[in-house]
Structure formats: structure tokens, C-alpha cells
């Protein structure tokens, strides 16, 4: 029999929970907040949102094999008959009452992490580049250690707790990306992991519409250091204008990284869309991910790896093992037409947009095209941020396609300031619009030409890639 991830006593203690309906043999081997992802032996945590209440999916979760369920006490008190009728049909399931199911998930996850006192716990956060930096660090650290990391960008108030429940006894390092899009979210998830090491990629403008300013973003990100207690190590980009502010929040050791750091790593050549050449201890290395910003992410991973005693050969092997990352500066060449696609559609904010536009502009061959979608969650800064990106696109000299209501509004507000530029604008991200855009691009692109496809995740810009390559890549 597989051992329960936590005992009932641990769960009740961590969550300040009470047993509402006793299944008699409490045990769980996985955790899910989505009833569709429940497997046999799952603890189901129904979350309450603005539009949906996860408690209504408890019957489906139990049907798929949930063995235990968290229940909001107020929900239980207001609809006791609903829960007791479910329990009568499923008497082996344990129902645990908590004040807040999200906070209970986080508290239970924190208790689970505490079961692994020898685990080296690493957090990666920042406004952009988090997932890439985490994947680079994973490739390097896996050459020496047994590493568990969150999949994709499961880094949020729910994603991080769900991810840490994948830690097992054999793991030596827990490497977890940590994101936030509201005040106090970083504080909450930092309390779950309590990292020993933290890598900051940058302080940019992602989610500025929610937090209000880069200063507020920096203050929130700094909560990743909350549990250092004099022993933690922070890796901070030296050239970020919030570097000193972040360092001042560290109760522990600060390691700076960036151009020229560490000193045994030397930049050699930016190969544009083909990546970056550099040298470690006199040995040549190629970073296959294009863009100077990805080279900086690589420097962060190298600093972390060297601090954890990886040899130069292990670091080089780690870079050689790196696989393309979906939607992050992913270079795709269509074999039939010869056109090149930079698929950078996993997310977007003004900073990452400008970096990606600059990456394409640095490419020395063929004609360049930009297919740019809306940037979401920018709030009151949205109009000006989209204007800024359109201006950068025009300055690059590329042919421009824009998608979405916010891009459309920004373009409309810039009439008279466009010069000779004539961006093609689609007011939405419908399949019809993408079909028209694909036809427009296909009629104008030739072998060797390149197009950047980038927008927020909600825009699903990879659909345009699929149309251009007749089936797509990782779509």
C-alpha cells in the first residue's frame, strides 16, 4: 500500500481543520484542484473563485477516485445536505472542514515540504524569464543532483503548492519557479517552500496594472527572501536598477550576476536567432536559445550551478542537454517554405516584447515580420504600454501585424504618428483573423525570411504558427 503524503493529524494541524465526515481510512497520494485531473487516491481541493465554486465539482472528483476533500466550513454550513448525501454514497471519503480551501492547500503543502529537511530548496522569480531560467538551471543541476522542478509555469498561489507535492525522498534539490500577479501572493508561496536559494531574473512591468508600479513589484518579489534567516543566498542581476533595493532585503548572502559575472565566463558572439557563443574556463559553449536576454538567464543559471559545486564539464554538459522550450524564443524553420518563425508566445509584457523585437532586428538575413498580440493584465498602463510596443515595432523596420482589442486601440490612438509605417491590424484573435494573417504572410514571405509571433498566453498566438507550417510545432 502506498504511504499517504501526509497523515490526517498533520493535515488537521497544518490547516487548523476538522473532520466533518469521517471516511475511516484517511490517505492521499496526490493533490488536485481540478476535478478533471483527479486520480485514484487524490486529495481534492475545491477552490472558490469569482465565477465558479469548486465545491460543485466534488461529485465528479469522487467519481474519478478522490479519497479526501477539503470543504470550506461556510459552504458546508450553508449546504450540509449536499455533502451528507455525497458521503452516504461514498462512505470511504474523508471530508475535512477548513476556513479557506486555498490557504489550506498552501498550509498542507508547507507541512509536506517540511518533511524533507535535507532538500536544497531553490526559488526562481522575476518579471520575465522565470521559466527559461528555471529550465536552464534544471538542465545544469541535473548533471550532478536528483532534481524535482515544477512543470511548465505551475508557479502561482495554487501551482506552487501543487508542484511541491511531487517531492519525494530521493530528490536532492527542489527547483521551483515562483510567480505572482497580486499583492501578498509571493509572501504566501514563499512560506510554502521557504527557499534556501533565490534567483531574481529582473524587475519589469509584468502585472503592473495590478500592483501599480515597478517599486511595488520589487517589494512583492523581495518576499522570496522572507525565510532566509541569515543563511540564504540570493542571486541578483547586477545591472537591474532595483539590484541594490533587492540586496537590501536579503538576510543572508548576495551573489550578483550579469555581464562579466562570474569572471570565469566570457561572452564571445551573439549569433542572433542561432543563439550565443561563450566560454567557461577556456572551454567553448553554445547557448541554443537566441537573444542576449537568454544569455543573461544563462549567467544566472551558471552562477547558481557554480555555487552548488558543479564542475565546468558538468555545466557544459547541461547546456548540451538543453531542449527547445515551447513558446520561448523557439526557432522553427518550415522545411517546405524555408521561412523562419520565432515562436515566443507563452507570455508577453512590454519589456519582453521589446527584447523579442530587438532579437529579430539583430538577425542579419532575410526580411522581417512581426505578429504581435495583446499584452494582458496591464490595467491603466495598457494603452501607453501597447503604444510603446507599436513604436518599437515601427522603429525596427519590420512589417507589422497586430492582433487584439488593446493593440487596435493603441494603433488607433497613434494615427498621425506612424510615419510611413502601415501595420495590418486584426481587432481580435479569432481563428478567422489568424487565417487571414497566415494568408497575408504566406503571400509576402520567402525562404530565409523571419517572423516573430508573440503575445500573452490568453491570445494563443501559436495558432498562427500552426497555419504557417501546416501543422505546427508543439501546438
Amino acid at each position: 500500500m502506498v504511504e499517504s503524503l501526509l497523515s490526517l493529524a498533520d493535515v488537521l494541524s497544518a490547516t487548523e481543520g476538522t473532520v466533518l465526515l469521517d471516511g475511516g481510512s484517511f490517505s492521499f497520494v496526490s493533490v488536485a484542484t481540478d476535478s478533471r485531473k483527479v486520480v485514484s487516491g487524490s486529495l481534492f481541493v475545491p477552490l472558490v473563485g469569482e465565477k465558479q465554486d469548486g465545491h460543485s465539482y466534488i461529485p465528479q472528483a469522487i467519481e474519478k477516485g478522490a479519497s479526501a476533500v477539503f470543504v470550506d466550513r461556510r459552504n458546508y454550513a450553508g449546504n450540509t445536505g449536499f455533502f451528507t448525501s455525497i458521503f452516504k454514497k461514498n462512505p470511504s471519503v474523508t471530508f475535512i472542514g477548513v476556513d479557506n480551501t486555498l490557504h489550506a492547500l498552501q498550509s498542507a503543502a508547507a507541512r509536506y515540504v517540511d518533511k524533507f529537511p535535507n532538500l536544497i530548496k531553490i526559488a526562481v522569480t522575476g518579471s520575465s524569464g522565470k521559466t527559461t531560467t528555471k529550465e536552464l538551471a534544471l538542465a545544469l543541476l541535473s548533471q550532478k543532483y536528483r532534481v524535482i522542478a515544477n512543470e511548465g509555469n505551475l508557479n502561482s498561489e495554487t501551482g506552487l503548492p501543487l508542484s511541491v507535492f511531487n517531492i519525494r525522498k530521493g530528490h536532492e534539490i527542489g527547483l521551483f519557479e515562483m510567480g505572482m500577479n497580486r499583492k501578498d501572493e509571493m509572501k504566501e508561496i514563499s512560506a510554502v517552500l521557504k527557499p534556501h536559494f533565490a534567483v531574481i531574473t529582473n524587475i519589469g512591468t509584468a502585472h503592473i496594472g495590478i500592483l501599480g508600479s515597478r517599486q511595488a513589484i520589487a517589494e512583492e518579489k523581495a518576499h522570496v527572501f522572507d525565510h532566509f534567516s541569515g543563511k540564504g543566498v540570493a542571486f541578483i542581476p547586477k545591472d537591474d536598477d532595483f539590484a541594490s533595493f533587492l540586496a537590501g532585503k536579503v538576510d543572508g548572502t548576495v551573489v550578483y550576476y550579469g555581464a562579466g559575472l562570474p569572471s570565469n565566463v566570457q561572452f564571445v558572439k551573439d549569433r542572433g536567432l542561432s543563439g550565443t557563443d561563450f566560454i567557461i574556463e577556456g572551454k567553448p559553449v553554445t547557448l541554443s536559445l537566441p537573444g542576449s536576454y537568454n544569455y543573461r538567464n544563462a549567467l544566472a543559471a551558471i552562477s547558481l550551478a557554480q555555487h552548488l559545486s558543479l564542475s565546468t564539464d558538468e555545466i557544459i554538459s547541461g547546456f548540451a542537454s538543453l531542449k527547445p522550450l515551447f513558446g520561448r524564443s523557439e526557432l522553427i524553420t518550415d522545411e517546405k517554405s524555408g521561412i523562419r518563425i520565432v515562436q515566443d508566445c507563452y507570455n508577453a509584457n512590454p519589456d519582453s516584447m521589446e527584447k523579442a523585437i530587438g532579437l529579430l532586428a539583430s538577425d542579419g538575413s532575410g526580411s522581417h515580420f512581426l505578429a504581435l498580440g495583446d499584452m494582458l493584465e496591464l490595467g491603466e498602463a495598457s494603452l501607453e504600454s501597447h503604444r510603446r510596443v507599436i513604436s518599437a515595432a515601427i522603429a525596427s523596420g519590420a512589417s507589422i501585424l497586430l492582433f487584439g482589442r488593446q493593440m487596435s486601440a493603441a494603433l488607433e490612438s497613434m494615427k498621425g504618428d506612424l510615419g510611413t509605417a502601415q501595420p495590418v491590424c486584426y481587432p481580435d484573435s479569432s481563428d478567422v483573423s489568424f487565417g487571414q494573417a497566415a494568408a497575408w504572410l504566406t503571400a509576402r514571405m520567402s525562404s530565409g525570411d523571419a517572423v516573430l509571433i508573440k503575445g500573452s498566453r490568453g491570445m494563443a498566438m501559436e495558432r498562427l504558427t500552426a497555419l504557417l507550417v501546416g501543422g505546427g510545432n508543439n501546438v
Side-chain angles (χ1 to χ4, degrees):
M1 182 177 178
V2 180
E3 180 183 356
S4 181
L5 296 181
L6 286 171
S7 69
L8 179 58
D10 274 338
V11 170
L12 296 180
S13 171
T15 65
E16 298 183 354
T18 54
V19 175
L20 300 173
L21 299 166
D22 190 357
S25 57
F26 176 85
S27 177
F28 70 99
V29 296
S30 66
V31 184
T33 57
D34 185 335
S35 61
R36 295 167 296 185
K37 296 183 179 180
V38 167
V39 297
S40 180
S42 289
L43 165 63
F44 178 58
V45 182
L47 301 177
V48 180
E50 293 181 4
K51 298 180 179 179
Q52 284 195 331
D53 184 344
H55 290 81
S56 62
Y57 295 97
I58 290 175
Q60 291 93 320
I62 292 176
E63 185 177 348
K64 294 199 70 175
S67 58
V69 180
F70 282 169
V71 177
D72 187 297
R73 289 190 178 100
R74 289 164 297 184
N75 200 303
Y76 182 79
N79 198 7
T80 304
F82 170 74
F83 297 100
T84 55
S85 65
I86 296 173
F87 180 67
K88 287 179 181 178
K89 297 176 184 177
N90 304 277
S92 64
V93 178
T94 302
F95 289 73
I96 297 173
V98 296
D99 284 340
N100 180 296
T101 54
L102 171 60
H103 294 162
L105 168 66
Q106 294 170 343
S107 297
R111 180 63 61 88
Y112 183 71
V113 173
D114 289 344
K115 291 179 61 176
F116 304 91
N118 296 322
L119 185 74
I120 299 170
K121 297 175 292 186
I122 304 171
V124 179
T125 192
S127 293
S128 58
K130 295 184 293 296
T131 303
T132 299
T133 302
K134 179 205 68 181
E135 293 294 334
L136 286 165
L138 176 61
L140 270 55
L141 296 175
S142 295
Q143 304 304 308
K144 183 180 179 70
Y145 299 98
R146 293 186 295 276
V147 185
I148 178 67
N150 40 2
E151 296 181 6
N153 69 335
L154 281 173
N155 60 16
S156 65
E157 59 188 3
T158 56
L160 188 278
L162 290 174
S163 294
V164 302
F165 275 112
N166 291 318
I167 298 170
R168 297 294 183 267
K169 290 181 180 178
H171 293 132
E172 297 169 298
I173 287 180
L175 173 64
F176 295 98
E177 175 185 342
M178 294 170 62
M180 58 88 189
N181 63 8
R182 62 168 173 82
K183 183 173 173 54
D184 291 334
E185 186 171 2
M186 183 60 65
K187 182 187 296 186
E188 291 173 12
I189 60 178
S190 179
V192 171
L193 185 63
K194 301 180 184 68
H196 306 111
F197 300 87
V199 179
I200 304 284
T201 60
N202 52 48
I203 301 298
T205 55
H207 310 303
I208 198 168
I210 298 171
L211 291 164
S213 67
R214 290 181 66 221
Q215 177 67 38
I217 292 170
E219 290 171 359
E220 184 65 27
K221 293 291 186 184
H223 283 299
V224 75
F225 310 135
D226 281 357
H227 300 274
F228 274 16
S229 302
K231 300 178 181 179
V233 183
F235 297 83
I236 296 173
K238 182 68 173 176
D239 58 352
D240 194 286
D241 51 352
F242 281 90
S244 295
F245 171 82
L246 292 168
K249 296 290 186 178
V250 177
D251 182 13
T253 302
V254 174
V255 176
Y256 290 108
Y257 70 90
L261 299 170
S263 59
N264 60 351
V265 180
Q266 290 88 40
F267 171 85
V268 175
K269 181 181 181 182
D270 182 350
R271 298 171 56 202
L273 299 184
S274 298
T276 303
D277 293 334
F278 60 100
I279 292 173
I280 302 180
E281 296 284 3
K283 297 182 179 182
V285 188
T286 295
L287 172 66
S288 58
L289 301 178
S292 58
Y293 49 92
N294 279 323
Y295 175 60
R296 188 169 91 158
N297 294 335
L299 291 177
I302 291 169
S303 293
L304 176 65
Q306 291 182 336
H307 198 88
L308 290 171
S309 303
L310 265 74
S311 68
T312 297
D313 287 342
E314 286 170 332
I315 291 173
I316 292 172
S317 295
F319 280 113
S321 72
L322 188 66
K323 294 178 173 58
L325 309 178
F326 165 66
R328 295 176 176 85
S329 303
E330 184 182 12
L331 181 60
I332 301 165
T333 301
D334 182 45
E335 295 182 0
K336 183 177 180 180
S337 67
I339 67 170
R340 296 171 298 154
I341 300 168
V342 181
Q343 182 172 258
D344 198 347
C345 58
Y346 206 89
N347 220 331
N349 58 61
D351 300 324
S352 66
M353 277 282 202
E354 289 186 337
K355 289 175 181 176
I357 291 169
L359 167 62
L360 192 68
S362 71
D363 178 61
S365 60
S367 298
H368 296 161
F369 297 79
L370 299 170
L372 309 177
D374 279 352
M375 301 174 290
L376 307 179
E377 297 183 345
L378 295 179
E380 293 180 0
S382 181
L383 180 62
E384 184 54 39
S385 295
H386 284 82
R387 286 170 58 96
R388 168 182 152 189
V389 166
I390 293 172
S391 295
I394 292 171
S396 76
S399 299
I400 305 166
L401 294 88
L402 304 173
F403 300 84
R405 289 180 297 174
Q406 296 178 67
M407 282 293 187
S408 297
L411 183 65
E412 180 67 23
S413 74
M414 296 174 68
K415 281 189 174 179
D417 299 323
L418 299 176
T420 58
Q422 295 181 315
V424 177
C425 189
Y426 301 90
D428 57 32
S429 57
S430 66
D431 290 342
V432 171
S433 291
F434 279 131
Q436 293 172 348
W440 190 94
L441 286 166
T442 300
R444 289 162 177 80
M445 295 185 72
S446 303
S447 180
D449 291 348
V451 56
L452 167 69
I453 299 176
K454 186 168 179 63
S456 282
R457 184 85 290 270
M459 298 294 288
M461 298 292 291
E462 66 271 18
R463 288 176 291 158
L464 181 55
T465 303
L467 294 170
L468 291 174
V469 299
N473 183 63
N474 290 320
V475 177

